[in-house]
Amino acid sequence: VSDASGCSMIALLHTGAAKFPQNLLSRSRQAVSPLFPAGVLKGFSSIVSRKLASHAFGASMAAMSSFPPQRYHYFLVLDFEATCDKPQIHPQEIIEFPILKLNGRTMEIESTFHMYVQPVVHPQLTPFCTELTGIIQGMVDGQPSLQQVLERVDEWMAKEGLLDPSVKSIFVTCGDWDLKVMLPGQCQYLGLPVADYFKQWINLKKAYSFAMGSWPKNGLLDMNKGLNLQHIGRPHSGIDDCKNIANIMKTLAHRGFIFKQTSKPF
């Protein structure tokens, strides 16, 4: 306090209250308390509290608005794992079905759908498949069929409000294979319909190339390297790949990139 009135301290706290730690605020109130009636100090404390709350709210709003808004309310990050071998077996069958619901405003993960799927044409996983994906036989034995999993996806989509016509959402994959080849191919083989929401998507490789000016030949590994991101989990784990896709999307969004549909209408 620089003078007997204590006004310098009041002014300092009034203008810079948001920057003051709580312990200093407490000590400052003790220093000026002999100089002011209790009612004045109570009002002063109220002002400081409001300023702190306002600062915190402003900081959170600034963080939320630090990148431009996206065209979609939600991004549905998807990455299948399927039966495989060398040479390749036919037909391939989905054995891991993960989806992350990514909020288009905050780019944070809000919900997860994750199931393993029982293959029926080639029910026994090959050693190559297990080595590549980390999925062992016990993880798919006794699991629901693809038809049952697709029914549960639809239930999850409804529960998450994603089937509401006013809610704009789109799937995101690392490449076109998942929704252009794998899912429609297996559904055709099994005589199953493909839901309309699986018929438009964003290919993250194309989005990355638009944003960064180079094509990621090695997919997620190249994209993480180009953005100086740490790779999450193990490559070719469906759920881990989804987390990497989400992380890359969040980083690109914070750099100002606006994601757009890359698939052509069916």
Side-chain angles (χ1 to χ4, degrees):
V1 179
S2 59
D3 55 51
S5 68
C7 290
S8 297
M9 178 64 77
I10 292 291
L12 174 63
L13 291 177
H14 183 76
T15 56
K19 301 178 182 178
F20 250 66
Q22 285 296 323
N23 63 330
L24 290 182
L25 278 174
S26 177
R27 286 159 58 188
S28 300
R29 281 195 298 268
Q30 291 172 8
V32 299
S33 59
L35 306 174
F36 292 94
V40 174
L41 277 180
K42 183 178 180 181
F44 164 73
S45 297
S46 177
I47 291 170
V48 170
S49 296
R50 287 198 303 271
K51 279 189 168 290
L52 286 169
S54 173
H55 176 77
F57 177 75
S60 64
M61 290 299 291
M64 288 165 54
S65 60
S66 61
F67 55 94
Q70 296 291 329
R71 297 183 170 191
Y72 297 92
H73 297 114
Y74 296 101
F75 297 105
L76 306 176
V77 180
L78 176 148
D79 191 273
F80 296 137
E81 298 304 324
T83 53
C84 53
D85 202 4
K86 282 191 174 182
Q88 189 59 275
I89 57 177
H90 297 284
Q92 283 188 275
E93 299 171 85
I94 296 169
I95 54 175
E96 185 180 5
F97 204 127
I99 307 172
L100 299 180
K101 179 187 176 188
L102 199 66
N103 186 303
R105 182 173 54 86
T106 64
M107 301 306 286
E108 298 292 342
I109 298 168
E110 284 194 355
S111 182
T112 301
F113 178 93
H114 186 213
M115 292 189 72
Y116 291 99
V117 190
Q118 170 78 60
V120 293
V121 182
H122 299 102
Q124 194 70 31
L125 302 183
T126 65
F128 174 83
C129 182
T130 294
E131 182 179 354
L132 180 70
T133 66
I135 299 172
I136 62 173
Q137 192 65 40
M139 295 166 72
V140 297
D141 283 345
Q143 294 301 309
S145 66
L146 180 63
Q147 180 177 0
Q148 293 169 320
V149 171
L150 289 173
E151 290 170 356
R152 295 189 190 182
V153 168
D154 203 66
E155 293 169 359
W156 178 78
M157 296 275 288
K159 179 175 71 72
E160 295 293 328
L162 297 167
L163 301 184
D164 184 335
S166 66
V167 175
K168 293 186 66 177
S169 65
I170 190 168
F171 279 90
V172 184
T173 58
C174 184
D176 291 322
W177 175 83
D178 300 81
L179 293 177
K180 187 175 183 178
V181 177
M182 187 61 238
L183 183 63
Q186 189 177 358
C187 285
Q188 183 179 28
Y189 184 90
L190 297 172
L192 301 174
V194 178
D196 286 342
Y197 47 70
F198 286 126
K199 295 181 180 179
Q200 50 275 321
W201 64 89
I202 295 168
N203 178 343
L204 184 64
K205 291 180 182 179
K206 290 182 180 178
Y208 177 90
S209 69
F210 297 152
M212 302 295 288
S214 62
W215 183 260
K217 292 181 180 179
N218 295 313
L220 294 175
L221 296 176
D222 279 0
M223 288 186 272
N224 276 327
K225 184 177 179 181
L227 294 169
N228 295 315
L229 298 175
Q230 194 73 28
H231 192 86
I232 299 169
R234 60 163 291 157
H236 302 295
S237 157
I239 190 66
D240 287 348
D241 284 352
C242 284
K243 292 174 183 176
N244 282 287
I245 292 171
N247 201 29
I248 291 165
M249 291 185 70
K250 181 178 180 180
T251 303
L252 291 176
H254 275 277
R255 293 186 178 201
F257 185 74
I258 306 296
F259 290 92
K260 303 171 186 176
Q261 177 177 330
T262 61
S263 66
K264 296 178 180 179
F266 272 54

